[in-house]
Amino acid sequence: MDRDILDIPEVFRRAFEEEWEKEEKEGGEGDDGGKKDQGRGRPWWANRWLWLLTVFLILLLSFNWLVTTYTNWLWFTALGYRQVWLRQWTIRVAVFILFFVVAAAVLLVNWRVAYGQARRTRQAFRLRLLELPGVNWLVTAGALFLAFVLALMASGRWQQLLLYIYRAPFGRRDPVFNLDLSFYLFELPVYRFLQNYFAILLMLTLLGVAGLFAVDNWPAAQRGQWRPQQLPALRRQVALLATLLFLLWAAGLWLDVYELMYSTRGVAFGASYTDLHAVRPALYAQLVLVLLLALATAVNFFRLELRPLLLTGALWLLVAVFAGNLYPALLQRYSVEPNELAREAPYIEQNIAFTRLAFGLDQVDTRPFGDLGELDEQDLAENRDALQNVRLWDYRPLQQTYAQLQELRPYYTFSSIDIDRYELDGEVRQVMLAGRELDPRGLTAPSWVNRKLEFTHGYGVVMNPVDQITPEGQPFFFIKDLPPASTVPLEVERPEIYFGEMMEEVVFVGSRLEEFDYPSGNENVYSSYSGRGGVVMDSPLKRLAFAFRFGETNLLLSQYITGQTQVIFYRQISDRVRQIAPFLELDNDPYLVVADGRLVWMLDAYTLSDHFPYATPTERGHNYIRNAAKITVDAYDGTVTYYLAAPQDPLIQAYARAFPGLFHPLEEMPAALQVHIRYPEDLFTVQAQQYLKYHMTSVQVFYNQEDLWQIPHEIVEEGTEQPIEAYYVILSLPDEGQTEYLLIQPYSPAGKNNMVGWMAARNDPAHYGELVVYELPKQELAFGPIQIEARINQDTLISQQLTLWNQLGSRVIRGNLIVIPMNDSFLYVEPLYLLAETSELPELKRVILATGNRIVMRETLNMALAALIEGAPSVDEVVAEEPPAGDQTEPETAPPLPAGATVEALVQSANAHLQAAEEAQRNGDWATYGRELEALRQDLGRLAELTGGNE
């Protein structure tokens, strides 16, 4: 018995002596390797009380998970996506169990073996901490805990593993290794994950093994008298684990070779000259040496041989330093940089090609815009549809306007303003709209009953044309009020909004208490939910489960809850969609559609990757994107439907194979919704940003960055600039007569303010998804947006008016400056809003129009167009003081009525001028329109004097 423990604390000495005496009385020296409990003669795994305690703790800790899993299963079943949930749940659980079993087996086997071997070892100064009561279970519990953590980490990668299982070919190969690109999208990420996972597992195992031997030999180690290399059991186990670690290291080096496709060393993203001629050979050399290291380590399993291991390690270090670091740096500095264009040209070419492919820019149709011309009356006449749909309402001040005019009650709020187009009375009109959602925080006397049972949904939608304003500077509404009243052939038959952008409260519908619909005079209108958007709580178990999940004890106590009551949760539409398909990235701008009398949300979803070879990533790190799916969510019953929008995308193909029945062909979308499909803004923004650089397809031009572009800026408030956001317009592309719905982004040269081109994404079904770029002639000047802003500020009359408004207790808000291509010229439009210091209601007061050499500001778009064509002054001071009735040009349409004209004659003359002005507007004759408006104003003025005199 080892008694040389005089230098340890007294309390430890007594504990060890008691334990040793107990062992000696029982006739054992503790050499059972930990297979029996101390002093009880039973296997450590046969203690049923410990097992019962373990099971109880597991159930207690996993209770919340069990409840959430059960209620989610009910929710997926109610929505008709049970199989989707089962597939996701199965793959997650299977991955967790698989990696838990593997990790637990590796850790337990190695740690239990080390534990037993360490206890059998007899050395001087041995402290024997491993023989303390409870250490046996501590080793096992530690291994299981680490296995649980590692398995939890692995289960978070279930999407990568799922894509690997259902991977689909891309159909194009990389230029270096001649592998299908699906290798990089599906296989390489999984191989890297597995390499990292097992490297961590083996490292933890090795540390645990070494730690068990070290703890049991602590006094000897303190005195420098412990020789671990003299312990055969420790040597063999460490050698085996280290050999496996070296093999994993070699596998990592093999993966490093393929990951050179993501190198940032060269001029462009991807494998460069230095990577392929210096780094790759160095990686192969290191790979061979690491394999030799593994072999040299394996020899130590049989006998102690450190010299080959040290020599091989030293050789690897030399190769890593000189071949892996020094030589690539020297090659880059003295061979590549002096001849950079010649050396890097093939790799720049690959970067251009693969970046354009990854972001869908390889199919961009580039067209010359042609010589620039002056905007004239004929251009306006030929673009009548575009002028009828010029967006005067900026979504930011319009959000405030909606809130002030149409929220109507403090518990209503509007989600973000959406932009869309509708065919009304045979004409396509661009409109802005928003759903009136419920915000329970606005209830004056909130209670559980009114928050959960009574005030359950929003109601109605508000819609206005983008180009019309009232004399008070407010939007002219197509649909407004409660219940929704429509002035156009567009009825909202199901206006309730149970699912929206801001609906997050869990509610219970179909109870004995009717639900509030909308206020009507001194009374309220109520209804009962008849949809299928929730889970019917038709059993006590379901009520109990949801009560636990949401902490709703009232759910068990309330007399209003029946067997037909539904619990509605996941009401926020993006959250609802993600619950079903968490592998899709959603666009930030869902939009509301009125279709067949119902309100339906439409969302765009993307597949993303950061493993596309040679493709330059965005700021978020992604270097591949596709608008893979279109998704609809019914605002009333919450029905979610997924449609394939990019069936050629290998990522969405893999997901479609993994979840059969989840995605429907786009052709199956109802026709009333198909006409509202639009090109998503987030995707267009990413493509527009990448195109700033990757419109250059010439290697030399790209290398020199000779033709780099930028997003132009605009002014939103005095002194505040921001990049111009992409915007939707209705117009016909140059040289194409058909009017269509487009998403547009202007461009400027880098470091300059003039306009150099513009990109358009086509939205109508015949050409949906096509990208067209018009490049302006480089020898001519086309004003950029910020240059137009500068001209506005430099115009004496306009700047005086803006300064005056800002000094009279109001704040001028400058709306989005929109550049509208018209034939061979451009029309620049910027609305101006006034917001009084004592009001939260912005009013649209002026419209600024500009062309190449003219700029005007008027109260309405039509008046500004007339003034622009006639060459009138930038500001008509008379108009600024009078109601919006016309400009101040001299009438040339008809001689004035005699001074003694009667009231009847003046009325007839005014009606005639009004009809003539409307006819001129329809014909696009803006000069005649302005003259007729002036004549009408004069008739109305004389009529007012005449009637006032009679009074």
Short mmCIF file of all heavy atoms in Angstrom, two decimals, residues 581-600:
data_model
loop_
_atom_site.label_atom_id
_atom_site.label_comp_id
_atom_site.label_asym_id
_atom_site.label_seq_id
_atom_site.Cartn_x
_atom_site.Cartn_y
_atom_site.Cartn_z
N ALA A 581 -40.72 25.71 -43.79
CA ALA A 581 -39.55 25.56 -44.66
C ALA A 581 -38.42 26.42 -44.13
O ALA A 581 -38.13 27.49 -44.68
CB ALA A 581 -39.90 25.94 -46.09
N PRO A 582 -37.75 26.00 -43.05
CA PRO A 582 -36.69 26.83 -42.45
C PRO A 582 -35.45 26.95 -43.32
O PRO A 582 -34.58 27.76 -43.02
CB PRO A 582 -36.38 26.10 -41.14
CG PRO A 582 -36.76 24.69 -41.39
CD PRO A 582 -37.93 24.75 -42.32
N PHE A 583 -35.37 26.17 -44.37
CA PHE A 583 -34.19 26.19 -45.24
C PHE A 583 -34.26 27.28 -46.30
O PHE A 583 -33.31 27.45 -47.06
CB PHE A 583 -34.02 24.82 -45.90
CG PHE A 583 -35.30 24.23 -46.40
CD1 PHE A 583 -35.83 24.60 -47.62
CD2 PHE A 583 -35.99 23.31 -45.63
CE1 PHE A 583 -37.02 24.07 -48.07
CE2 PHE A 583 -37.18 22.76 -46.08
CZ PHE A 583 -37.70 23.14 -47.31
N LEU A 584 -35.37 28.00 -46.38
CA LEU A 584 -35.50 29.07 -47.37
C LEU A 584 -35.23 30.42 -46.72
O LEU A 584 -35.67 30.69 -45.59
CB LEU A 584 -36.90 29.06 -47.98
CG LEU A 584 -37.29 27.83 -48.81
CD1 LEU A 584 -38.74 27.95 -49.26
CD2 LEU A 584 -36.36 27.67 -50.01
N GLU A 585 -34.53 31.28 -47.44
CA GLU A 585 -34.29 32.66 -47.00
C GLU A 585 -35.39 33.53 -47.61
O GLU A 585 -35.62 33.50 -48.81
CB GLU A 585 -32.92 33.13 -47.47
CG GLU A 585 -32.54 34.52 -46.99
CD GLU A 585 -32.09 34.55 -45.55
OE1 GLU A 585 -31.81 33.47 -44.98
OE2 GLU A 585 -31.99 35.65 -44.98
N LEU A 586 -36.05 34.33 -46.77
CA LEU A 586 -37.21 35.09 -47.23
C LEU A 586 -36.83 36.52 -47.57
O LEU A 586 -35.96 37.14 -46.93
CB LEU A 586 -38.31 35.09 -46.17
CG LEU A 586 -38.88 33.72 -45.80
CD1 LEU A 586 -40.01 33.88 -44.79
CD2 LEU A 586 -39.38 32.97 -47.03
N ASP A 587 -37.51 37.06 -48.58
CA ASP A 587 -37.37 38.47 -48.93
C ASP A 587 -37.90 39.33 -47.79
O ASP A 587 -38.84 38.94 -47.08
CB ASP A 587 -38.14 38.75 -50.23
CG ASP A 587 -37.81 40.11 -50.81
OD1 ASP A 587 -38.49 41.09 -50.44
OD2 ASP A 587 -36.89 40.19 -51.62
N ASN A 588 -37.34 40.50 -47.63
CA ASN A 588 -37.73 41.38 -46.52
C ASN A 588 -39.01 42.14 -46.76
O ASN A 588 -39.46 42.87 -45.88
CB ASN A 588 -36.60 42.38 -46.23
CG ASN A 588 -35.40 41.72 -45.60
OD1 ASN A 588 -35.52 40.89 -44.71
ND2 ASN A 588 -34.21 42.06 -46.08
N ASP A 589 -39.61 41.99 -47.95
CA ASP A 589 -40.78 42.80 -48.28
C ASP A 589 -41.94 41.93 -48.77
O ASP A 589 -42.19 41.86 -49.97
CB ASP A 589 -40.43 43.85 -49.33
CG ASP A 589 -41.59 44.80 -49.61
OD1 ASP A 589 -42.42 45.00 -48.70
OD2 ASP A 589 -41.68 45.32 -50.74
N PRO A 590 -42.65 41.24 -47.86
CA PRO A 590 -43.89 40.58 -48.29
C PRO A 590 -44.89 41.64 -48.73
O PRO A 590 -44.88 42.78 -48.23
CB PRO A 590 -44.37 39.86 -47.02
CG PRO A 590 -43.22 39.89 -46.07
CD PRO A 590 -42.39 41.09 -46.43
N TYR A 591 -45.76 41.31 -49.67
CA TYR A 591 -46.73 42.30 -50.13
C TYR A 591 -48.12 41.69 -50.18
O TYR A 591 -48.30 40.50 -50.43
CB TYR A 591 -46.32 42.89 -51.47
CG TYR A 591 -46.14 41.93 -52.61
CD1 TYR A 591 -47.11 41.77 -53.59
CD2 TYR A 591 -44.96 41.19 -52.73
CE1 TYR A 591 -46.93 40.89 -54.64
CE2 TYR A 591 -44.76 40.32 -53.78
CZ TYR A 591 -45.75 40.17 -54.74
OH TYR A 591 -45.57 39.29 -55.79
N LEU A 592 -49.10 42.54 -49.92
CA LEU A 592 -50.50 42.12 -49.82
C LEU A 592 -51.18 42.28 -51.17
O LEU A 592 -50.98 43.27 -51.87
CB LEU A 592 -51.20 42.97 -48.76
CG LEU A 592 -52.60 42.54 -48.32
CD1 LEU A 592 -52.56 41.14 -47.70
CD2 LEU A 592 -53.16 43.55 -47.32
N VAL A 593 -51.99 41.28 -51.52
CA VAL A 593 -52.69 41.26 -52.80
C VAL A 593 -54.18 41.07 -52.54
O VAL A 593 -54.58 40.25 -51.70
CB VAL A 593 -52.16 40.13 -53.70
CG1 VAL A 593 -53.00 39.99 -54.96
CG2 VAL A 593 -50.70 40.38 -54.06
N VAL A 594 -55.01 41.84 -53.27
CA VAL A 594 -56.45 41.64 -53.26
C VAL A 594 -56.77 40.78 -54.48
O VAL A 594 -56.61 41.22 -55.62
CB VAL A 594 -57.21 42.97 -53.32
CG1 VAL A 594 -58.72 42.72 -53.27
CG2 VAL A 594 -56.79 43.88 -52.18
N ALA A 595 -57.22 39.55 -54.24
CA ALA A 595 -57.46 38.61 -55.33
C ALA A 595 -58.73 37.81 -55.04
O ALA A 595 -58.85 37.18 -53.98
CB ALA A 595 -56.28 37.66 -55.50
N ASP A 596 -59.66 37.86 -55.97
CA ASP A 596 -60.93 37.12 -55.84
C ASP A 596 -61.64 37.46 -54.53
O ASP A 596 -62.24 36.58 -53.88
CB ASP A 596 -60.68 35.62 -55.93
CG ASP A 596 -60.18 35.20 -57.31
OD1 ASP A 596 -60.55 35.86 -58.30
OD2 ASP A 596 -59.41 34.23 -57.39
N GLY A 597 -61.56 38.71 -54.13
CA GLY A 597 -62.26 39.15 -52.94
C GLY A 597 -61.54 38.85 -51.63
O GLY A 597 -62.03 39.23 -50.57
N ARG A 598 -60.40 38.18 -51.67
CA ARG A 598 -59.66 37.82 -50.46
C ARG A 598 -58.36 38.60 -50.38
O ARG A 598 -57.86 39.11 -51.40
CB ARG A 598 -59.36 36.32 -50.43
CG ARG A 598 -60.60 35.44 -50.49
CD ARG A 598 -60.22 33.98 -50.45
NE ARG A 598 -59.73 33.57 -49.14
CZ ARG A 598 -60.52 33.11 -48.16
NH1 ARG A 598 -61.82 33.02 -48.36
NH2 ARG A 598 -60.00 32.75 -47.00
N LEU A 599 -57.80 38.66 -49.19
CA LEU A 599 -56.49 39.27 -48.98
C LEU A 599 -55.46 38.15 -48.84
O LEU A 599 -55.61 37.25 -48.00
CB LEU A 599 -56.49 40.13 -47.72
CG LEU A 599 -57.50 41.30 -47.70
CD1 LEU A 599 -57.41 42.06 -46.38
CD2 LEU A 599 -57.25 42.23 -48.87
N VAL A 600 -54.46 38.20 -49.69
CA VAL A 600 -53.44 37.14 -49.72
C VAL A 600 -52.07 37.79 -49.69
O VAL A 600 -51.80 38.73 -50.45
CB VAL A 600 -53.59 36.27 -50.99
CG1 VAL A 600 -52.51 35.19 -51.00
CG2 VAL A 600 -54.98 35.65 -51.07
#
